[in-house]
Amino acid sequence: MSRRSVFFKGIPVALYEPETIAYFNTLGIADDATVYFSATAYEKTGTQLWAAIETYVLALKTALSLTAGINNLSTRLGHLYPFIGGTAARHIVDLVSGTSKGTLSGGWTHDGSGALANGTNGYMNSGTNPNTLYGTNYYGYIGYNNAYTAGLLWGSAGSIGGADYDYSSINGVSLHGSFKSMTGVTTGYSSLYRTNATQIKYRKNGVLQTIAQNYAAATNNNVYIGAYNNLGSPGIYSNGKFQLRLIIKQPTDTEVANIETAIVTLQTTLNRL
Amino acid sequence: MKIAIINIEQHREIYGQLYDGVTTFNPTLDKDGNMIITEQEIDQLTNLNYTWVANLIKVEKDSQLKTLTKEEWLLEDKAKLESELSKLQDKLKTK
């Protein structure tokens, strides 16, 4: 596997962020001229894919005031799935940990544009339990999707009849909870997050909405992507195409806006808008 | 969107197993209570332990949904259970 480095006084100095290197090493995509998704709108060389993710990682670190050059995205992000590489094995790779953290089930179609859930039984277990990861800290979800008309983009229910629900959908399913279900976006980026105990903030393609909703507790089940986790069983399957999903600890409005800008830049570079 | 109906025994065999080396089968119920898997799970099958999946007959999702009375549904369910019971009994006899 190619790993571009230069040496300064005998010490290797990576030209890429450590998260970028770990991510592509797990994907099995070298930083070279190999062409991926040939003769499609998503055709890129390995080097172009490395450059696109590197730009995105650096923008994320700038947005989150993290020091470049060290592995530190995990201080704020629980997972980040860029859905790059066009195969199931590559789409389960988490950029934060550089591991195959996600678990796919049911019907999916994978290509250079992302991962398309079939709306009947396809979902991905993100491997992230917000309660375990963030405890009483506020957190939020940011993502990019396409061609989405039904189901839940992501979600998890923490308890039977409890208030610890996290959901995002376009259906406005009437469920109460710490995040609550609300109108989503059919194409583009959306963010759902908290900065305090009494409000949910929801951004649809950059337009901020604030909804009064008291915080109860973080859900204590893994968040599913493409469905919601109903105490261990998937439900309300999405038919959306997933192109990026992340979960973030204690985001500010400015951070969310800057992360969204970085996501749009990434999708533009990959021709996946 | 196409699906294929499977029986209880087939469900037990494939539930949670990988069909392409990465993704697990996720049999689910349709509106009539039939256990189904989807065309992606069939078309992308590479797991040689479940080659019979590739031979399942695919039909359009919801194309076979029925509108039955309560009594007719009970008869339908009874017939399904009897069919499954018969298959299991035959399997027991061969062992």
mmCIF file of all heavy atoms in Angstrom, chain A residues 88-89 92 104-110 118-123 234 237, chain B residues 1 3 19-20 22-28 36-38 40-41 44 61:
data_model
loop_
_atom_site.group_PDB
_atom_site.id
_atom_site.type_symbol
_atom_site.label_atom_id
_atom_site.label_comp_id
_atom_site.label_asym_id
_atom_site.label_seq_id
_atom_site.Cartn_x
_atom_site.Cartn_y
_atom_site.Cartn_z
ATOM 1 N N ALA A 88 -19.460 -2.861 -0.726
ATOM 2 C CA ALA A 88 -19.945 -3.025 0.639
ATOM 3 C C ALA A 88 -18.782 -3.004 1.625
ATOM 4 O O ALA A 88 -18.843 -2.352 2.677
ATOM 5 C CB ALA A 88 -20.726 -4.336 0.750
ATOM 6 N N ALA A 89 -17.703 -3.708 1.287
ATOM 7 C CA ALA A 89 -16.559 -3.801 2.205
ATOM 8 C C ALA A 89 -15.936 -2.432 2.471
ATOM 9 O O ALA A 89 -15.427 -2.179 3.563
ATOM 10 C CB ALA A 89 -15.506 -4.746 1.628
ATOM 11 N N ILE A 92 -18.353 0.220 4.759
ATOM 12 C CA ILE A 92 -18.493 0.043 6.219
ATOM 13 C C ILE A 92 -17.283 0.596 6.971
ATOM 14 O O ILE A 92 -17.225 0.521 8.189
ATOM 15 C CB ILE A 92 -18.680 -1.440 6.601
ATOM 16 C CG1 ILE A 92 -17.467 -2.277 6.184
ATOM 17 C CG2 ILE A 92 -19.970 -2.003 6.003
ATOM 18 C CD1 ILE A 92 -17.508 -3.710 6.708
ATOM 19 N N LEU A 104 -23.420 -4.140 7.735
ATOM 20 C CA LEU A 104 -24.518 -4.032 6.774
ATOM 21 C C LEU A 104 -25.438 -5.233 6.864
ATOM 22 O O LEU A 104 -24.981 -6.367 7.062
ATOM 23 C CB LEU A 104 -23.961 -3.939 5.361
ATOM 24 C CG LEU A 104 -23.309 -2.614 4.939
ATOM 25 C CD1 LEU A 104 -22.495 -2.808 3.668
ATOM 26 C CD2 LEU A 104 -24.357 -1.528 4.736
ATOM 27 N N SER A 105 -26.741 -4.979 6.680
ATOM 28 C CA SER A 105 -27.727 -6.058 6.633
ATOM 29 C C SER A 105 -28.752 -5.753 5.551
ATOM 30 O O SER A 105 -29.026 -4.585 5.251
ATOM 31 C CB SER A 105 -28.459 -6.192 7.972
ATOM 32 O OG SER A 105 -27.580 -6.657 8.966
ATOM 33 N N GLY A 106 -29.337 -6.812 4.986
ATOM 34 C CA GLY A 106 -30.418 -6.651 4.030
ATOM 35 C C GLY A 106 -29.940 -6.156 2.676
ATOM 36 O O GLY A 106 -28.775 -6.299 2.313
ATOM 37 N N GLY A 107 -30.858 -5.529 1.930
ATOM 38 C CA GLY A 107 -30.581 -5.168 0.549
ATOM 39 C C GLY A 107 -29.969 -3.800 0.364
ATOM 40 O O GLY A 107 -30.562 -2.783 0.721
ATOM 41 N N TRP A 108 -28.776 -3.774 -0.208
ATOM 42 C CA TRP A 108 -28.062 -2.540 -0.530
ATOM 43 C C TRP A 108 -27.499 -2.659 -1.934
ATOM 44 O O TRP A 108 -27.197 -3.755 -2.398
ATOM 45 C CB TRP A 108 -26.893 -2.311 0.431
ATOM 46 C CG TRP A 108 -27.257 -1.898 1.819
ATOM 47 C CD1 TRP A 108 -27.584 -2.729 2.846
ATOM 48 C CD2 TRP A 108 -27.322 -0.568 2.333
ATOM 49 N NE1 TRP A 108 -27.842 -1.992 3.974
ATOM 50 C CE2 TRP A 108 -27.687 -0.660 3.691
ATOM 51 C CE3 TRP A 108 -27.101 0.704 1.791
ATOM 52 C CZ2 TRP A 108 -27.840 0.450 4.514
ATOM 53 C CZ3 TRP A 108 -27.249 1.819 2.610
ATOM 54 C CH2 TRP A 108 -27.622 1.689 3.954
ATOM 55 N N THR A 109 -27.315 -1.511 -2.574
ATOM 56 C CA THR A 109 -26.612 -1.458 -3.851
ATOM 57 C C THR A 109 -25.484 -0.443 -3.706
ATOM 58 O O THR A 109 -25.721 0.688 -3.282
ATOM 59 C CB THR A 109 -27.556 -1.023 -4.990
ATOM 60 O OG1 THR A 109 -28.680 -1.921 -5.017
ATOM 61 C CG2 THR A 109 -26.842 -1.075 -6.325
ATOM 62 N N HIS A 110 -24.272 -0.871 -4.047
ATOM 63 C CA HIS A 110 -23.100 -0.013 -3.832
ATOM 64 C C HIS A 110 -22.460 0.366 -5.160
ATOM 65 O O HIS A 110 -22.284 -0.471 -6.031
ATOM 66 C CB HIS A 110 -22.068 -0.761 -2.981
ATOM 67 C CG HIS A 110 -22.601 -1.238 -1.670
ATOM 68 N ND1 HIS A 110 -22.593 -0.465 -0.530
ATOM 69 C CD2 HIS A 110 -23.201 -2.405 -1.321
ATOM 70 C CE1 HIS A 110 -23.148 -1.145 0.462
ATOM 71 N NE2 HIS A 110 -23.525 -2.323 0.007
ATOM 72 N N ASN A 118 -32.471 -0.288 0.099
ATOM 73 C CA ASN A 118 -33.588 -0.684 -0.774
ATOM 74 C C ASN A 118 -34.970 -0.317 -0.224
ATOM 75 O O ASN A 118 -35.971 -0.538 -0.877
ATOM 76 C CB ASN A 118 -33.525 -2.177 -1.092
ATOM 77 C CG ASN A 118 -33.790 -3.056 0.118
ATOM 78 O OD1 ASN A 118 -34.019 -2.574 1.226
ATOM 79 N ND2 ASN A 118 -33.747 -4.357 -0.086
ATOM 80 N N GLY A 119 -35.034 0.227 0.993
ATOM 81 C CA GLY A 119 -36.323 0.660 1.531
ATOM 82 C C GLY A 119 -37.187 -0.461 2.055
ATOM 83 O O GLY A 119 -38.300 -0.219 2.537
ATOM 84 N N THR A 120 -36.693 -1.699 1.993
ATOM 85 C CA THR A 120 -37.468 -2.852 2.456
ATOM 86 C C THR A 120 -36.821 -3.542 3.648
ATOM 87 O O THR A 120 -37.488 -3.856 4.640
ATOM 88 C CB THR A 120 -37.648 -3.875 1.314
ATOM 89 O OG1 THR A 120 -38.368 -3.248 0.257
ATOM 90 C CG2 THR A 120 -38.410 -5.103 1.779
ATOM 91 N N ASN A 121 -35.511 -3.771 3.575
ATOM 92 C CA ASN A 121 -34.837 -4.431 4.702
ATOM 93 C C ASN A 121 -33.362 -4.072 4.832
ATOM 94 O O ASN A 121 -32.650 -4.692 5.611
ATOM 95 C CB ASN A 121 -35.004 -5.956 4.616
ATOM 96 C CG ASN A 121 -34.228 -6.561 3.462
ATOM 97 O OD1 ASN A 121 -33.740 -5.844 2.590
ATOM 98 N ND2 ASN A 121 -34.122 -7.878 3.454
ATOM 99 N N GLY A 122 -32.917 -3.052 4.090
ATOM 100 C CA GLY A 122 -31.501 -2.681 4.146
ATOM 101 C C GLY A 122 -31.211 -1.651 5.226
ATOM 102 O O GLY A 122 -31.890 -0.630 5.310
ATOM 103 N N TYR A 123 -30.209 -1.907 6.044
ATOM 104 C CA TYR A 123 -29.776 -0.925 7.039
ATOM 105 C C TYR A 123 -28.341 -1.213 7.428
ATOM 106 O O TYR A 123 -27.805 -2.289 7.132
ATOM 107 C CB TYR A 123 -30.671 -0.955 8.287
ATOM 108 C CG TYR A 123 -30.459 -2.144 9.189
ATOM 109 C CD1 TYR A 123 -29.676 -2.049 10.340
ATOM 110 C CD2 TYR A 123 -31.022 -3.382 8.889
ATOM 111 C CE1 TYR A 123 -29.477 -3.148 11.167
ATOM 112 C CE2 TYR A 123 -30.819 -4.483 9.702
ATOM 113 C CZ TYR A 123 -30.056 -4.362 10.843
ATOM 114 O OH TYR A 123 -29.843 -5.451 11.645
ATOM 115 N N PRO A 234 -34.386 -3.611 13.601
ATOM 116 C CA PRO A 234 -34.497 -2.489 12.669
ATOM 117 C C PRO A 234 -35.939 -2.244 12.253
ATOM 118 O O PRO A 234 -36.758 -3.169 12.227
ATOM 119 C CB PRO A 234 -33.657 -2.951 11.474
ATOM 120 C CG PRO A 234 -33.738 -4.439 11.530
ATOM 121 C CD PRO A 234 -33.805 -4.810 12.986
ATOM 122 N N TYR A 237 -37.531 1.378 7.293
ATOM 123 C CA TYR A 237 -36.376 1.369 6.397
ATOM 124 C C TYR A 237 -36.402 2.529 5.402
ATOM 125 O O TYR A 237 -37.456 2.879 4.880
ATOM 126 C CB TYR A 237 -36.334 0.055 5.617
ATOM 127 C CG TYR A 237 -36.117 -1.158 6.483
ATOM 128 C CD1 TYR A 237 -37.182 -1.972 6.841
ATOM 129 C CD2 TYR A 237 -34.857 -1.484 6.950
ATOM 130 C CE1 TYR A 237 -36.994 -3.096 7.634
ATOM 131 C CE2 TYR A 237 -34.653 -2.597 7.743
ATOM 132 C CZ TYR A 237 -35.726 -3.405 8.084
ATOM 133 O OH TYR A 237 -35.539 -4.497 8.869
ATOM 134 N N MET B 1 -38.673 -3.149 -7.573
ATOM 135 C CA MET B 1 -38.150 -3.833 -6.392
ATOM 136 C C MET B 1 -38.746 -5.239 -6.306
ATOM 137 O O MET B 1 -39.959 -5.387 -6.216
ATOM 138 C CB MET B 1 -38.519 -3.032 -5.140
ATOM 139 C CG MET B 1 -38.163 -3.681 -3.831
ATOM 140 S SD MET B 1 -36.401 -3.791 -3.633
ATOM 141 C CE MET B 1 -36.302 -4.878 -2.251
ATOM 142 N N ILE B 3 -38.798 -9.261 -4.631
ATOM 143 C CA ILE B 3 -38.549 -10.008 -3.405
ATOM 144 C C ILE B 3 -38.777 -11.502 -3.698
ATOM 145 O O ILE B 3 -39.302 -11.853 -4.744
ATOM 146 C CB ILE B 3 -39.471 -9.543 -2.245
ATOM 147 C CG1 ILE B 3 -40.961 -9.671 -2.647
ATOM 148 C CG2 ILE B 3 -39.171 -8.096 -1.876
ATOM 149 C CD1 ILE B 3 -41.647 -10.911 -2.269
ATOM 150 N N TYR B 19 -24.216 -12.832 3.014
ATOM 151 C CA TYR B 19 -24.533 -13.294 1.656
ATOM 152 C C TYR B 19 -23.475 -12.872 0.633
ATOM 153 O O TYR B 19 -23.362 -13.476 -0.422
ATOM 154 C CB TYR B 19 -25.928 -12.855 1.210
ATOM 155 C CG TYR B 19 -26.184 -11.374 1.034
ATOM 156 C CD1 TYR B 19 -25.786 -10.700 -0.111
ATOM 157 C CD2 TYR B 19 -26.873 -10.653 2.001
ATOM 158 C CE1 TYR B 19 -26.044 -9.352 -0.274
ATOM 159 C CE2 TYR B 19 -27.143 -9.311 1.848
ATOM 160 C CZ TYR B 19 -26.723 -8.659 0.705
ATOM 161 O OH TYR B 19 -26.985 -7.321 0.535
ATOM 162 N N ASP B 20 -22.708 -11.832 0.939
ATOM 163 C CA ASP B 20 -21.667 -11.389 -0.004
ATOM 164 C C ASP B 20 -20.303 -11.241 0.659
ATOM 165 O O ASP B 20 -19.424 -10.579 0.119
ATOM 166 C CB ASP B 20 -22.083 -10.051 -0.637
ATOM 167 C CG ASP B 20 -22.182 -8.942 0.405
ATOM 168 O OD1 ASP B 20 -22.066 -9.241 1.614
ATOM 169 O OD2 ASP B 20 -22.353 -7.773 0.019
ATOM 170 N N VAL B 22 -19.821 -9.583 3.341
ATOM 171 C CA VAL B 22 -19.846 -8.365 4.168
ATOM 172 C C VAL B 22 -21.229 -8.132 4.772
ATOM 173 O O VAL B 22 -21.342 -7.740 5.937
ATOM 174 C CB VAL B 22 -19.455 -7.121 3.331
ATOM 175 C CG1 VAL B 22 -19.549 -5.852 4.159
ATOM 176 C CG2 VAL B 22 -18.048 -7.266 2.765
ATOM 177 N N THR B 23 -22.267 -8.382 4.008
ATOM 178 C CA THR B 23 -23.626 -8.014 4.383
ATOM 179 C C THR B 23 -24.428 -9.244 4.793
ATOM 180 O O THR B 23 -24.354 -10.280 4.120
ATOM 181 C CB THR B 23 -24.333 -7.325 3.196
ATOM 182 O OG1 THR B 23 -23.444 -6.385 2.605
ATOM 183 C CG2 THR B 23 -25.597 -6.622 3.649
ATOM 184 N N THR B 24 -25.191 -9.107 5.884
ATOM 185 C CA THR B 24 -25.976 -10.244 6.345
ATOM 186 C C THR B 24 -27.369 -10.251 5.711
ATOM 187 O O THR B 24 -27.930 -9.199 5.409
ATOM 188 C CB THR B 24 -26.156 -10.223 7.880
ATOM 189 O OG1 THR B 24 -26.830 -9.020 8.249
ATOM 190 C CG2 THR B 24 -24.810 -10.295 8.584
ATOM 191 N N PHE B 25 -27.914 -11.449 5.519
ATOM 192 C CA PHE B 25 -29.320 -11.563 5.143
ATOM 193 C C PHE B 25 -30.169 -10.919 6.238
ATOM 194 O O PHE B 25 -29.848 -10.994 7.430
ATOM 195 C CB PHE B 25 -29.725 -13.033 5.048
ATOM 196 C CG PHE B 25 -29.189 -13.777 3.859
ATOM 197 C CD1 PHE B 25 -28.157 -14.690 4.006
ATOM 198 C CD2 PHE B 25 -29.732 -13.591 2.593
ATOM 199 C CE1 PHE B 25 -27.664 -15.398 2.914
ATOM 200 C CE2 PHE B 25 -29.251 -14.293 1.493
ATOM 201 C CZ PHE B 25 -28.220 -15.193 1.658
ATOM 202 N N ASN B 26 -31.253 -10.312 5.832
ATOM 203 C CA ASN B 26 -32.175 -9.731 6.810
ATOM 204 C C ASN B 26 -33.608 -10.076 6.411
ATOM 205 O O ASN B 26 -34.357 -9.210 5.964
ATOM 206 C CB ASN B 26 -31.980 -8.214 6.897
ATOM 207 C CG ASN B 26 -32.877 -7.590 7.966
ATOM 208 O OD1 ASN B 26 -33.272 -8.258 8.919
ATOM 209 N ND2 ASN B 26 -33.196 -6.317 7.805
ATOM 210 N N PRO B 27 -34.013 -11.343 6.564
ATOM 211 C CA PRO B 27 -35.384 -11.717 6.219
ATOM 212 C C PRO B 27 -36.382 -10.882 7.013
ATOM 213 O O PRO B 27 -36.182 -10.627 8.213
ATOM 214 C CB PRO B 27 -35.472 -13.187 6.625
ATOM 215 C CG PRO B 27 -34.064 -13.664 6.694
ATOM 216 C CD PRO B 27 -33.260 -12.475 7.122
ATOM 217 N N THR B 28 -37.422 -10.442 6.337
ATOM 218 C CA THR B 28 -38.408 -9.593 6.997
ATOM 219 C C THR B 28 -39.805 -10.006 6.535
ATOM 220 O O THR B 28 -39.949 -10.730 5.554
ATOM 221 C CB THR B 28 -38.126 -8.103 6.681
ATOM 222 O OG1 THR B 28 -38.964 -7.283 7.474
ATOM 223 C CG2 THR B 28 -38.366 -7.789 5.211
ATOM 224 N N ILE B 36 -39.820 -12.723 3.692
ATOM 225 C CA ILE B 36 -39.219 -12.414 2.391
ATOM 226 C C ILE B 36 -37.760 -12.001 2.527
ATOM 227 O O ILE B 36 -37.330 -11.543 3.587
ATOM 228 C CB ILE B 36 -39.987 -11.285 1.661
ATOM 229 C CG1 ILE B 36 -39.920 -9.981 2.488
ATOM 230 C CG2 ILE B 36 -41.433 -11.680 1.389
ATOM 231 C CD1 ILE B 36 -40.335 -8.746 1.702
ATOM 232 N N ILE B 37 -37.005 -12.173 1.449
ATOM 233 C CA ILE B 37 -35.725 -11.498 1.291
ATOM 234 C C ILE B 37 -35.788 -10.722 -0.020
ATOM 235 O O ILE B 37 -36.708 -10.926 -0.820
ATOM 236 C CB ILE B 37 -34.515 -12.460 1.306
ATOM 237 C CG1 ILE B 37 -34.608 -13.496 0.181
ATOM 238 C CG2 ILE B 37 -34.366 -13.115 2.656
ATOM 239 C CD1 ILE B 37 -33.362 -14.355 0.056
ATOM 240 N N THR B 38 -34.838 -9.843 -0.254
ATOM 241 C CA THR B 38 -34.937 -8.925 -1.385
ATOM 242 C C THR B 38 -33.988 -9.309 -2.518
ATOM 243 O O THR B 38 -33.062 -10.099 -2.335
ATOM 244 C CB THR B 38 -34.633 -7.487 -0.924
ATOM 245 O OG1 THR B 38 -33.336 -7.468 -0.322
ATOM 246 C CG2 THR B 38 -35.670 -7.026 0.093
ATOM 247 N N GLN B 40 -31.614 -7.778 -3.899
ATOM 248 C CA GLN B 40 -30.183 -7.506 -3.698
ATOM 249 C C GLN B 40 -29.515 -8.677 -2.982
ATOM 250 O O GLN B 40 -28.374 -9.043 -3.291
ATOM 251 C CB GLN B 40 -29.986 -6.223 -2.873
ATOM 252 C CG GLN B 40 -30.393 -4.934 -3.588
ATOM 253 C CD GLN B 40 -31.865 -4.630 -3.484
ATOM 254 O OE1 GLN B 40 -32.592 -5.249 -2.694
ATOM 255 N NE2 GLN B 40 -32.338 -3.675 -4.261
ATOM 256 N N GLU B 41 -30.222 -9.259 -2.003
ATOM 257 C CA GLU B 41 -29.648 -10.384 -1.263
ATOM 258 C C GLU B 41 -29.503 -11.619 -2.150
ATOM 259 O O GLU B 41 -28.643 -12.466 -1.916
ATOM 260 C CB GLU B 41 -30.533 -10.699 -0.050
ATOM 261 C CG GLU B 41 -30.504 -9.602 1.006
ATOM 262 C CD GLU B 41 -31.707 -9.667 1.927
ATOM 263 O OE1 GLU B 41 -32.789 -9.180 1.528
ATOM 264 O OE2 GLU B 41 -31.566 -10.191 3.035
ATOM 265 N N GLN B 44 -26.725 -10.534 -5.299
ATOM 266 C CA GLN B 44 -25.339 -10.298 -4.874
ATOM 267 C C GLN B 44 -24.774 -11.476 -4.073
ATOM 268 O O GLN B 44 -23.711 -11.367 -3.470
ATOM 269 C CB GLN B 44 -25.272 -9.008 -4.037
ATOM 270 C CG GLN B 44 -25.655 -7.761 -4.831
ATOM 271 C CD GLN B 44 -25.815 -6.526 -3.950
ATOM 272 O OE1 GLN B 44 -25.192 -6.404 -2.899
ATOM 273 N NE2 GLN B 44 -26.647 -5.598 -4.368
ATOM 274 N N LYS B 61 -42.408 -6.757 -5.425
ATOM 275 C CA LYS B 61 -42.834 -6.551 -4.047
ATOM 276 C C LYS B 61 -44.306 -6.132 -4.006
ATOM 277 O O LYS B 61 -44.742 -5.302 -4.805
ATOM 278 C CB LYS B 61 -41.976 -5.462 -3.400
ATOM 279 C CG LYS B 61 -42.238 -5.244 -1.931
ATOM 280 C CD LYS B 61 -41.439 -4.061 -1.411
ATOM 281 C CE LYS B 61 -41.811 -3.772 0.032
ATOM 282 N NZ LYS B 61 -41.234 -2.496 0.493
#
